[in-house]
Amino acid sequence: FYRDKRSRAPHLKTWSHGWAVLKYMLLFGTNKILIWPGVVSFILGTILVFSQINGPIHIGSFPVDIHFMVLGLMLSIIGIYMSSSGILVNLYSKLRYYYGNIHLPKAIETIFTFDKGFFIGGLLGLIGVITETVILTQWINMGYRNISALRPVIIGFYFIFLGIAIVVFSFIFTLLKESPNASLAIQSKKPHNI
């Protein structure tokens, strides 16, 4: 590192200008900031949740118990919301001509519809509700005593949260995609000047 040879004081403010640069990096890097970290978080969380359906496991001599299942639930929820938010931001940016190089996956842009998303999300949510209902019924039939059903409860929550996330994503995605300017914007490659 060489010493600054300018005699005058720098005109940039360390924190405010540094934050401005970082903010634009975050705003214009949704794929690397939201989508891919979200996908990784969701996959890792799903593995942690479903690897313990039958009880604790061991990775070598390291025990992986219920606490990691809860961690997996949290990671999967964070992941699905991060990745879905990133896709929505990309779609909105494309419609508003913010970026000139936005390319949504073909399956999401053309095949994915509100009907399909609502059906898939509703089905997953229904699986979660049925799971929780069965556990609640067992608890009532046992006279409200403590039952060892924490793992099935977490599985049920997983499906409920995932179903709700997919339904909400489908609604907002379809709302954006079917906006009046969407068809023109999707075909245009002209970036918007900010």
Side-chain angles (χ1 to χ4, degrees), residues 51-133:
S51 63
Q52 300 183 62
I53 291 181
N54 297 322
I57 62 174
H58 286 78
I59 301 177
S61 60
F62 186 78
V64 179
D65 207 340
I66 193 71
H67 305 90
F68 285 92
M69 200 173 186
V70 176
L71 174 64
L73 178 65
M74 182 188 71
L75 289 175
S76 61
I77 294 172
I78 292 174
I80 192 67
Y81 279 106
M82 283 181 63
S83 55
S84 60
S85 298
I87 293 172
L88 293 175
V89 169
N90 274 2
L91 177 61
Y92 180 79
S93 302
K94 187 171 187 177
L95 298 179
R96 299 287 295 177
Y97 308 108
Y98 285 155
Y99 312 140
N101 58 347
I102 290 293
H103 299 289
L104 292 175
K106 198 71 175 176
I108 295 178
E109 192 169 348
T110 60
I111 299 175
F112 189 85
T113 63
F114 176 76
D115 295 338
K116 294 177 182 177
F118 188 84
F119 175 76
I120 295 172
L123 183 61
L124 293 173
L126 182 61
I127 293 173
V129 170
I130 291 175
T131 303
E132 302 297 344
T133 302

Side-chain angles (χ1 to χ4, degrees), residues 38-58:
V39 170
V40 172
S41 177
F42 175 75
I43 293 174
L44 178 60
T46 300
I47 292 173
L48 286 175
V49 169
F50 285 95
S51 63
Q52 300 183 62
I53 291 181
N54 297 322
I57 62 174
H58 286 78

Side-chain angles (χ1 to χ4, degrees), residues 3 5 7 17 23-24 31 44 52 55 86 88 94-95 101 106 126 128 130 141 148 157 160:
R3 190 180 187 85
K5 297 181 179 180
S7 57
H17 288 92
K23 179 176 68 175
Y24 278 101
N31 286 350
L44 178 60
Q52 300 183 62
L88 293 175
K94 187 171 187 177
L95 298 179
N101 58 347
K106 198 71 175 176
L126 182 61
I130 291 175
N141 292 336
S148 180
F157 283 157
I160 291 174

Side-chain angles (χ1 to χ4, degrees), residues 91-92 95 172-185:
L91 177 61
Y92 180 79
L95 298 179
I172 300 176
F173 183 84
T174 306
L175 205 62
L176 290 175
K177 195 172 72 168
E178 296 184 359
S179 62
N181 297 327
S183 59
L184 295 176

Side-chain angles (χ1 to χ4, degrees), residues 56 82 130 147 151 155 161:
M82 283 181 63
I130 291 175
I147 60 175
R151 296 179 194 280
I155 296 292
F161 291 141

